[in-house]
């Protein structure tokens, strides 16, 4: 069996690797390190979690032992699509480069230019950047790229998704053609292949898993759910609670606004949760990530962009709150668990609307994903309230006539939201009905339904004594399942609520 000692790394690097506890290189490391040390270009096709970062950091450290940096002329350049990923690569340099005296500079947005300038002034052996920030520095005339010997382009397919390819082309033009290029991508769509053909000279191709495959150590399941957000949130909560072996989990949403909503919802439901999305400032993102890594938070709600490539060892579960629109994102998301041979579980919430996205994923990974709960056909029929709400929505789309009525329906939906998907146990429906009953009793509110004047019922409902501003603000938000249980149900009171009210 190949060991790290067989790969040609320097003694200093080997000693740091041994200290980190690794003895056997992963397949991408075994495949990429020897040709990288021989100054060959590399085309590495590997998803995150395969040990890909060390596959370029270790040979770079060895090669950098000869020569030294000059002011404003970095010797190597690593391009990363996100700030977190760039910071992670810097951490790898710290870990494996602890026996070296290398100057590693991180150029990412959200950090002051002055601080970064000072580092560049000292001469950087390694420059780790997001493309935009690097170009900003170049445009300020503070950086000379003519001394770059090694260029690393990491997560190229994500660079493409994020629209960074023109920036990368500009950057590549600033670097001598004689450089060594190490190019990594989890998937190889045609655009990336074209880019690789242009940037790489006679590369060593190292492909560590079947293209676009997901790790076999991950148990993947689809979970049927009704399509509305509050129902999906209930399904997710039940699913999370049903996982006995859940250590920590990342929950993916397609849009950052949904990240924020889901985060608030889980928080209010008492989960230990953080969020990561592109609108957060750098400090919050770093703190959030550190808390998650240190197990101070159990759940992390994230968007694809924010979570890209994050090295969070030991994530036991991934939940896809939304089916990803781009099938490749499924592979990346699932890559958060089952890393480096560990086992993991990945659940994807699927509603009737998601069929074509699931088909695309199954086509890409070349296998069918099993249903946890018998599939969409096994879902209990839509509750009356939901059908009415959908009708109401069409009404709004026609001219917004039903706005007030739909608020009432929303309230109803809050109470009926917790119909579990089959195979998932829950007692929340009962809990909520009990809560409504109790609230009615303690506050002595009129038991008569607001059928006669739904608008008044919704707007004039008195607040509980302990209601604070936050609750007030959220009370009438559409699609919010977390405020106090509403008391007015418009003209759509569910039958069981009427019985409860008379009791
Ligand atoms: P990466 O694919 O670079 O994000 O690495 C994924 C995880 O694998 C990281 O937590 C690394 O610390 C870990 N790792 C890297 N190399 C090895 C190795 N040779 N053996 C076991 N784990 C490793």
């Amino acid at each position: 069996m190949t060991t790290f000692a067989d790969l040609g790394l320097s003694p200093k690097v080997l000693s740091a690797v041994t200290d980190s506890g690794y003895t056997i290189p992963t397949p991408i490391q075994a495949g990429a390190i020897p040709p990288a040390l021989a100054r060959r270009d590399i085309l590495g096709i590997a998803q995150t979690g395969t040990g890909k970062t060390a596959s370029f950091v270790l040979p770079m450290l060895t090669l950098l032992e000869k020569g030294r940096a000059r002011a404003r002329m970095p010797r190597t350049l690593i391009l990363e699509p996100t700030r977190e990923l760039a910071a992670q690569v810097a951490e790898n340099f710290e870990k494996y480069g602890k026996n070296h005296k290398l100057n590693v500079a991180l150029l990412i947005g959200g950090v002051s230019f002055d601080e970064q300038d000072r580092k560049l002034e000292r001469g950087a052996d390694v420059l780790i950047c997001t493309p935009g920030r690097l170009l900003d520095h170049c445009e300020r005339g503070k950086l000379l790229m003519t001394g770059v010997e090694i260029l690393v382009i990491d997560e190229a397919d994500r660079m493409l998704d994020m629209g960074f390819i023109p920036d990368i082309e500009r950057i590549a033009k600033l670097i001598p053609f004689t450089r060594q290029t190490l190019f990594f991508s989890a998937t190889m769509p045609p655009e990336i292949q074209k880019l690789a053909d242009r940037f790489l000279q006679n590369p060593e191709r190292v492909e560590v898993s079947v293209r676009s495959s997901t790790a076999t150590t991950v148990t993947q399941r689809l979970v049927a759910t009704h399509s509305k957000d509050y129902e999906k949130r209930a399904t997710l909560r039940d699913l999370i609670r049903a996982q006995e072996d859940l250590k920590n989990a990342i929950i993916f949403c397609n849009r950052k606004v949904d990240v924020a909503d889901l985060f608030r919802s889980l928080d209010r439901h008492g989960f230990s949760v953080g969020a990561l999305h592109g609108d957060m400032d750098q400090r919050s993102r770093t703190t959030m990530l550190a808390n998650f890594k240190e197990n101070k938070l159990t759940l992390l709600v994230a968007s694809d962009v924010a979570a890209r490539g994050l090295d969070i060892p030991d994530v036991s579960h991934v939940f896809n709150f939304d089916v990803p629109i781009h099938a490749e994102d499924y592979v990346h998301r699932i890559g958060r668990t089952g890393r480096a041979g560990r086992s993991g579980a990945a659940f994807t919430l699927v509603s009737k609307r998601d069929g074509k996205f699931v088909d695309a994923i199954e086509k890409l990974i070349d296998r069918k994903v099993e249903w946890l709960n018998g599939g969409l056909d096994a879902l209990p029929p839509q509750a009356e309230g939901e059908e009415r709400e959908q009708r109401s929505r069409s009404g709004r789309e026609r001219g917004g006539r039903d706005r007030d009525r739909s608020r009432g329906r929303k309230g109803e939906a809050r109470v009926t939201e917790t119909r579990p998907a089959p195979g998932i146990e829950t007692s929340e429906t009962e809990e909520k009905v009990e809560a409504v009953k109790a609230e009615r009793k303690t506050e002595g509110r009129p038991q008569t339904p607001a059928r006669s004047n739904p608008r008044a019922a919704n707007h004039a409902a008195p607040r509980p004594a302990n209601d604070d501003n936050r609750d007030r603000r959220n009370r009438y938000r559409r699609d919010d399942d977390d405020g106090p249980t509403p008391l007015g149900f418009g003209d759509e009171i569910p039958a069981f609520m009427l019985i409860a009210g008379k009791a």
Side-chain angles (χ1 to χ4, degrees):
M1 185 182 274
T2 312
T3 66
F4 276 107
D6 303 323
L7 301 180
L9 294 164
S10 75
K12 279 186 192 172
V13 174
L14 272 181
S15 143
V17 171
T18 307
D19 289 352
S20 72
Y22 302 140
T23 45
I24 309 297
T26 64
I28 184 79
Q29 292 163 356
I33 291 174
L37 287 172
R39 297 244 175 227
R40 292 273 311 274
D41 281 3
I42 303 285
L43 172 57
I45 303 166
Q47 61 193 78
T48 48
T50 54
K52 140 175 96 69
T53 315
S55 78
F56 59 83
V57 170
L58 302 183
M60 284 175 78
L61 282 166
T62 299
L63 294 170
L64 282 165
E65 285 174 19
K66 287 200 191 93
R68 55 190 293 273
R70 282 183 285 168
R72 309 218 157 268
M73 289 184 68
R75 299 169 67 197
T76 62
L77 171 65
I78 300 171
L79 296 175
E80 295 289 341
T82 67
R83 300 181 255 188
E84 282 80 11
L85 200 47
Q88 232 160 255
V89 172
E91 276 169 28
N92 267 254
F93 270 98
E94 245 171 66
K95 176 159 114 183
Y96 300 121
K98 63 180 192 171
N99 302 320
H100 299 72
K101 284 205 178 69
L102 292 177
N103 186 8
V104 177
L106 189 58
L107 299 195
I108 52 179
V111 179
S112 87
F113 275 98
D114 288 350
E115 202 179 305
Q116 295 178 344
D117 279 345
R118 276 195 295 279
K119 278 216 148 185
L120 295 174
E121 191 59 55
R122 281 204 307 236
D125 295 285
V126 183
L127 196 54
I128 307 165
C129 317
T130 46
R133 189 39 89 101
L134 175 70
L135 285 171
D136 288 347
H137 274 278
C138 291
E139 277 154 20
R140 294 163 87 235
K142 301 275 185 176
L143 256 179
L144 255 183
M145 305 305 287
T146 48
V148 172
E149 300 156 29
I150 302 175
L151 168 66
V152 179
I153 299 172
D154 195 18
E155 306 264 341
D157 51 354
R158 178 53 48 149
M159 298 272 201
L160 174 76
D161 288 350
M162 294 174 72
F164 285 155
I165 300 302
D167 284 353
I168 290 173
E169 286 176 336
R170 279 176 64 200
I171 294 165
K173 278 192 194 127
L174 303 172
I175 301 175
F177 188 63
T178 50
R179 65 174 189 255
Q180 177 184 11
T181 307
L182 314 177
F183 187 101
F184 293 88
S185 193
T187 55
M188 286 300 284
E191 299 94 322
I192 294 297
Q193 186 60 56
K194 259 190 237 157
L195 203 66
D197 291 345
R198 242 179 322 135
F199 284 178
L200 299 170
Q201 295 177 51
N202 185 27
E204 175 83 17
R205 184 185 170 102
V206 188
E207 185 165 352
V208 297
S209 54
V210 184
R211 189 179 306 173
S212 305
S213 71
T214 45
T216 49
T217 49
V218 179
T219 307
Q220 301 172 54
R221 292 288 180 271
L222 303 178
V223 182
T225 177
H226 288 297
S227 56
K228 293 196 68 63
D229 279 354
Y230 59 83
E231 290 184 301
K232 290 173 72 179
R233 291 197 283 258
T235 305
L236 177 71
R237 289 194 297 273
D238 295 335
L239 189 59
I240 294 171
R241 288 176 184 138
Q243 305 305 309
E244 283 171 10
D245 52 349
L246 188 143
K247 186 168 164 276
N248 55 0
I250 305 187
I251 304 165
F252 284 98
C253 298
N254 286 353
R255 300 180 314 154
K256 61 190 169 199
V257 48
D258 296 330
V259 169
D261 280 352
L262 183 59
F263 161 71
R264 278 195 296 271
S265 167
L266 289 167
D267 183 47
R268 277 184 236 149
H269 278 270
F271 289 92
S272 159
V273 63
L276 210 58
H277 61 77
D279 281 353
M280 289 162 65
D281 64 49
Q282 184 60 26
R283 185 192 292 255
S284 318
R285 281 154 64 133
T286 310
T287 312
M288 196 67 85
L289 190 58
N291 286 341
F292 187 64
K293 279 187 178 180
E294 290 162 20
N295 292 321
K296 290 180 190 157
L297 295 170
T298 309
L299 307 175
L300 186 67
V301 188
S303 61
D304 292 289
V305 167
R308 177 68 182 178
L310 293 183
D311 176 20
I312 304 160
D314 256 347
V315 175
S316 69
H317 285 65
V318 165
F319 297 98
N320 290 321
F321 183 73
D322 299 308
V323 181
I325 290 164
H326 302 293
E328 295 84 21
D329 283 336
Y330 181 81
V331 179
H332 293 306
R333 291 178 181 189
I334 302 302
R336 310 292 97 214
T337 186
R339 309 189 102 193
R342 294 188 192 96
S343 62
F347 294 95
T348 303
L349 268 54
V350 180
S351 74
K352 286 207 166 105
R353 299 172 180 168
D354 300 320
K356 68 175 182 206
F357 301 124
V358 173
D359 291 346
I361 289 166
E362 291 183 330
K363 199 167 157 217
L364 181 75
I365 64 173
D366 199 21
R367 56 180 275 203
K368 285 267 172 209
V369 183
E370 269 179 56
W371 289 93
L372 175 73
N373 49 358
L376 289 163
D377 294 338
L379 269 180
Q382 270 188 331
E384 252 186 277
E386 182 180 344
E387 283 165 13
R388 279 196 299 263
E389 179 153 2
Q390 281 180 351
R391 283 205 303 273
S392 151
R393 187 169 52 194
S394 352
R396 282 199 302 280
E397 276 155 17
R398 280 198 308 273
R401 291 192 303 274
D402 291 341
R403 189 170 346 119
D404 296 314
R405 290 156 55 99
S406 77
R407 279 209 183 105
R409 288 174 189 129
K410 177 63 217 171
E412 171 190 344
R414 288 186 186 185
V415 179
T416 56
E417 65 167 320
T418 46
R419 268 169 299 115
I424 303 169
E425 287 176 17
T426 180
S427 61
E428 267 192 57
T429 308
E430 290 85 347
E431 278 170 25
K432 289 222 167 177
V433 171
E434 286 309 315
V436 171
K437 273 201 247 171
E439 203 169 328
R440 282 182 169 183
K441 276 190 187 137
T442 53
E443 292 177 19
R445 291 196 179 120
Q447 302 295 302
T448 322
R451 203 179 283 271
S452 53
N453 186 355
R455 184 184 296 239
N458 281 302
H459 285 248
R463 281 194 297 278
N466 64 351
D467 199 3
D468 62 11
N469 285 336
R470 199 181 68 159
D471 289 340
R472 203 172 306 149
R473 211 171 43 241
N474 286 322
R475 173 167 292 231
Y476 301 117
R477 268 187 47 200
R478 288 182 58 231
D479 290 327
D480 186 338
D481 62 340
D482 302 305
T485 309
L487 294 161
F489 290 93
D491 54 357
E492 307 292 354
I493 299 230
F496 73 88
M497 289 297 299
L498 290 172
I499 293 161
K502 285 177 197 148

